[in-house]
Amino acid sequence: MASGIKLSISMTGDTELLHALDQLEPKAAKKVVKGALKSAARKMRSAARANAPRRQGDLRRSIKTKQMKAKVRVYGTYVLTSSRSMPDKFYAANVDLGHRSVEPVEFMEDAFDFNVDDAARAITTDLWAGVLEAWQ
């Protein structure tokens, strides 16, 4: 089981956008939503990489994005650290969250906090662009 901080963006209230997505074929709507989430997650990943402390660069290179399996109309994208590219799979969590006498750096949470509003706007913009493109 993965450990760490779970941060999420929940977007509600744009009934016009939701209605527009409902008008699309399910496959097209899924493609539009996943594309918008992927784009926003890449921006978060870039911010997390920029905030990560750097000695050799392994920690920065280990920060990845991953699409979660879609459940009934629920989509998501993760920004995470990959243990495959890190010899110590807990190193990223130890740096980010701190441990024993080591102060936390909180590079992942800071990347989220500083970019959450921009990411939400980017998701909405990308969703509308995808809907308009699918309609044409």
Side-chain angles (χ1 to χ4, degrees):
M1 175 183 263
S3 63
I5 299 171
K6 181 178 179 179
L7 305 166
S8 64
I9 298 173
S10 179
M11 298 175 62
T12 58
D14 194 341
T15 56
E16 193 176 333
L17 177 57
L18 293 174
H19 181 70
L21 284 167
D22 284 340
Q23 299 303 311
L24 296 178
E25 295 279 333
K27 194 173 184 179
K30 180 179 177 179
K31 182 179 176 183
V32 168
V33 171
K34 287 178 83 172
L37 293 176
K38 190 175 189 179
S39 175
R42 285 181 176 162
K43 291 174 185 166
M44 292 282 190
R45 179 189 65 198
S46 295
R49 284 180 176 171
N51 290 348
R54 182 167 195 249
R55 285 192 186 162
Q56 299 170 333
D58 291 340
L59 179 57
R60 287 182 179 194
R61 283 190 297 276
S62 76
I63 299 172
K64 311 280 186 205
T65 57
K66 181 179 179 181
Q67 297 261 294
M68 69 181 241
K69 269 192 170 174
K71 297 181 181 171
V72 181
R73 297 185 70 180
V74 176
Y75 307 98
T77 303
Y78 296 106
V79 178
L80 54 107
T81 56
S82 170
S83 60
R84 291 184 195 161
S85 59
M86 297 287 295
D88 176 4
K89 64 182 178 181
F90 299 109
Y91 178 70
N94 289 338
V95 171
D96 191 45
L97 304 174
H99 67 99
R100 293 188 203 132
S101 62
V102 176
E103 291 294 318
V105 177
E106 297 179 344
F107 62 93
M108 294 288 272
E109 190 171 357
D110 287 347
F112 182 86
D113 289 342
F114 293 130
N115 294 290
V116 69
D117 293 332
D118 291 338
R121 275 191 297 277
I123 290 169
T124 302
T125 302
D126 290 349
L127 285 174
W128 273 118
V131 166
L132 294 174
E133 183 178 315
W135 280 346
Q136 294 178 359

